[in-house]
Every structure is written in structure tokens, then in C-alpha cells.
């Protein structure tokens, strides 16, 4: 499986969950730090095999190259999880609706390319795989963050449903986890913990979720959606 966007603060529990189940992991991390190196060593000890890449993912070509590398390393892909974190500093700089739409486009562009590339590879070798895009951002308590959360959720929902429909005949499932909406945030909804996301991702990759595709779930409580 391929996991992108892993950092020392986000996604380790998720990767560890699959490692503990004997998965062969390709990890891409934008973080090149002693902490990340230590966490990678833990994953390597528990997984069937593990490769860590610190190459950036800033362009379509880099996304395509990473998928190709993952396929070459382990002969194919069954599961892809893309972790996307919207920095608080980017949210703080928002001023207009055009800024919001631009940030949403930037946040989802690389996950979209990774999804398309991975799905195409799965199709070529007749793999009925699972792709999950997890988008996280600062709590949308109001103002810029709330507006961004609503636009981001709507865009992610449209893209996920469209891609799921496109690849459904090949048995490739595409789902997503979105940040809470502005309404959800005002009612006290918060993003799920890494442990909850790990449980949900493992459940989604299992055989009992083979019919689940095209869903965009709230981050909070995602692990209990099909419990």
C-alpha cells in the first residue's frame, strides 16, 4: 500500500495499524527529520516491508513518479491513502472567496492526481483496490476557516463521487474523509483522532467494505460508520 503525506504529527497510527497487519508499505513524507526517521524505523520493524521517500509532491509529474515507484518496488498497489493537511498559516491569509477557492484547488490537486494515477495502475493489473483521501484542517470555529471547510467539503464530495463513478466498473473504490462543516463545528464536532482514522481505514480496506465507494464522511466518528 501507498501512504502519502505522513508526518511525525499526522498519520503514524494509521500507518502503524496497517504495518501491524503485515502490509507492505510505501511511505511518502514531506518531513525529513530525526522524528520521522525514528517513526519510519518503527514501521519497518512491524510491516512485511517498508520504503520511505522524502521526495516532494508539488507537481503532477512527481505524483505520477511516486505511484510508478511504488508499483515497481512491490509489483502493484492494493490500497492508497493520501493524507492532506491544510496549514493554519494558509487559512489565516485568506481574504476573498477567490483566495478560498484557490486554496481548495491547491489542497486537492495532488491527491486528485495520485488517485487518478493509482486507479489507472490498479486497472491495468486487474486489482480491485481501495483509495482513501483524508483531508484535515484547523478547527472551523468561524470566519475564514468555516468558509474554507464548507467549500472544501463540497469540492471533495464532487470529486470523490465523480472518481468513484468513473472507476466503479473496475472494482476500484474511492472514498474520502473531510473536515467538519461550519455547522458541525458550531455544534461541537471535531476532527477524529489518528487512532479513529486508523480504525476506519482498516475497516474500509477489508472485504466487508467492498461495496463502499463514493462516500465523503465527517472526520468525527468515521471509524464507527460501518461498525
Amino acid at each position: 500500500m501507498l501512504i502519502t503525506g505522513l508526518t511525525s504529527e499526522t498519520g503514524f497510527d494509521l500507518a502503524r495499524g496497517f504495518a501491524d497487519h503485515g502490509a507492505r508499505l510505501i511511505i511518502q513524507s514531506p518531513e525529513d527529520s530525526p522524528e520521522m526517521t525514528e517513526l519510519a524505523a518503527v514501521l519497518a520493524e512491524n510491516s512485511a516491508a517498508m520504503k520511505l521517500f522524502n521526495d516532494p509532491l508539488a507537481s503532477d509529474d512527481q505524483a505520477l513518479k511516486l505511484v510508478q515507484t511504488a508499483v515497481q518496488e512491490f509489483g502493484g498497489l492494493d490500497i492508497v491513502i493520501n493524507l492532506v493537511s491544510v496549514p493554519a498559516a494558509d487559512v489565516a491569509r485568506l481574504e476573498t472567496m477567490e483566495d478560498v477557492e484557490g486554496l481548495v484547488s491547491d489542497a486537492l490537486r495532488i491527491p486528485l492526481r495520485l488517485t487518478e494515477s493509482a486507479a489507472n495502475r490498479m486497472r491495468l493489473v486487474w486489482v480491485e483496490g481501495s483509495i482513501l483521501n483524508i483531508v484535515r484542517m484547523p478547527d472551523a470555529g468561524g470566519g475564514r476557516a468555516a468558509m474554507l471547510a464548507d467549500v472544501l467539503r463540497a469540492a471533495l464530495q464532487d470529486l470523490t463521487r465523480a472518481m468513484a463513478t468513473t472507476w466503479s466498473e473496475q472494482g476500484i473504490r474511492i472514498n474520502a474523509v473531510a473536515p467538519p462543516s461550519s455547522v458541525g463545528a458550531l455544534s461541537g464536532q471535531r476532527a477524529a483522532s489518528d487512532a479513529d482514522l486508523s480504525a476506519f481505514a482498516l475497516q474500509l480496506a477489508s472485504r466487508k467494505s467492498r461495496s463502499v465507494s463514493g462516500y465523503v464522511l465527517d472526520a468525527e466518528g468515521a471509524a464507527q460508520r460501518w461498525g
Side-chain angles (χ1 to χ4, degrees):
M1 67 175 297
L2 170 66
I3 301 177
T4 71
L6 184 73
T7 70
S8 58
E9 296 183 352
T10 301
F12 175 73
D13 284 346
L14 187 152
R16 178 65 182 270
F18 281 94
D20 289 347
H21 280 74
R24 297 188 296 170
L25 304 176
I26 294 285
I27 303 293
Q28 183 276 335
S29 175
E31 179 183 339
D32 188 4
S33 67
E35 292 81 8
M36 191 64 234
T37 300
E38 183 175 341
L39 293 178
V42 173
L43 294 175
E45 290 177 359
N46 291 274
S47 60
M50 200 277 290
K51 295 283 186 178
L52 173 65
F53 293 92
N54 292 116
D55 297 332
L57 284 177
S59 70
D60 293 358
D61 287 343
Q62 288 168 338
L64 176 59
K65 182 179 178 181
L66 177 63
V67 171
Q68 292 173 335
T69 300
V71 171
Q72 291 167 359
E73 287 287 342
F74 291 147
L77 284 174
D78 297 304
I79 302 169
V80 176
I81 299 177
N82 300 309
L83 303 169
V84 183
S85 296
V86 180
D90 289 352
V91 178
R93 286 194 292 266
L94 296 174
E95 294 183 358
T96 66
M97 180 55 73
E98 287 74 18
D99 292 339
V100 170
E101 293 172 348
L103 182 53
V104 168
S105 177
D106 289 344
L108 298 182
R109 182 172 58 87
I110 295 302
L112 173 61
R113 297 296 174 260
L114 288 165
T115 298
E116 291 174 337
S117 298
N120 188 54
R121 290 286 172 172
M122 292 173 180
R123 176 186 63 84
L124 291 174
V125 294
W126 300 92
V127 170
E128 295 186 353
S130 172
I131 302 174
L132 176 64
N133 294 305
I134 299 175
V135 182
R136 309 183 82 173
M137 57 169 284
D139 289 341
R144 300 180 182 92
M147 180 169 56
L148 176 64
D150 289 340
V151 176
L152 181 58
R153 285 174 57 86
L156 183 60
Q157 189 170 58
D158 289 344
L159 289 170
T160 301
R161 288 177 176 172
M163 291 187 294
T165 300
T166 298
W167 296 102
S168 61
E169 292 186 2
Q170 284 74 40
I172 299 167
R173 297 175 290 115
I174 300 172
N175 295 284
V177 175
S181 67
S182 58
V183 174
L186 289 173
S187 65
Q189 188 182 50
R190 292 294 180 266
S193 68
D194 275 1
D196 285 341
L197 290 175
S198 174
F200 170 64
L202 284 166
Q203 188 173 343
L204 193 61
S206 68
R207 287 186 176 274
K208 67 179 181 179
S209 297
R210 290 181 66 182
S211 63
V212 178
S213 189
Y215 285 87
V216 177
L217 304 177
D218 291 325
E220 185 178 38
Q224 288 76 44
R225 177 59 176 84
W226 289 288

